[in-house]
């Protein structure tokens, strides 16, 4: 992970909750000037086993902040704390 990318969103294709999560993460990170990236859980057997059907998963600084739904206020607090 690039140290500048504090936020990682674990997603998979054809996931409507992932689309919603990406919108929230993009909005918050753009507002706060934070770098972020996505990782496809289906690209790795390890990630698929780890996250299963709990995608999307959002991590900030390597700590899980949310799965399925992203709370915008919580994400903002995590990034500004």
């Amino acid at each position: 992970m690039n140290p500048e990318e504090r936020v990682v969103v674990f997603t998979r294709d054809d996931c409507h909750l992932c689309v919603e999560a990406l919108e929230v993460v993009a909005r918050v990170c753009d507002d706060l000037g934070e770098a972020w990236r996505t990782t496809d859980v289906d690209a790795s057997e390890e990630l698929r086993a780890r996250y299963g059907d709990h995608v999307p998963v959002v991590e900030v600084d390597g700590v899980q902040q949310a799965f399925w739904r992203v709370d915008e206020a919580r994400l903002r607090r995590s990034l500004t704390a």
Side-chain angles (χ1 to χ4, degrees):
M1 178 168 130
N2 181 336
E4 296 176 4
E5 295 170 336
R6 296 183 61 200
V7 179
V8 179
V9 184
F10 295 91
T11 64
R12 70 171 25 106
D13 289 338
D14 299 321
C15 167
H16 72 282
L17 292 176
C18 296
V19 172
E20 293 173 14
L22 292 172
E23 290 172 358
V24 173
V25 169
R27 180 173 49 249
V28 170
C29 288
D30 288 349
D31 286 352
L32 299 176
E34 294 288 349
W36 63 284
R37 67 179 169 88
T38 62
T39 297
D40 182 355
V41 298
D42 293 322
S44 159
E45 185 63 38
E46 178 185 345
L47 291 176
R48 191 174 357 195
R50 179 176 178 187
Y51 295 112
D53 291 330
H54 288 114
V55 293
V57 173
V58 177
E59 290 185 354
V60 174
D61 298 328
V63 178
Q64 183 175 319
Q65 299 295 311
F67 66 94
W68 292 331
R69 304 257 184 217
V70 179
D71 182 317
E72 184 170 340
R74 180 178 182 199
L75 180 58
R76 285 181 187 278
R77 283 192 306 271
S78 295
L79 288 168
T80 57

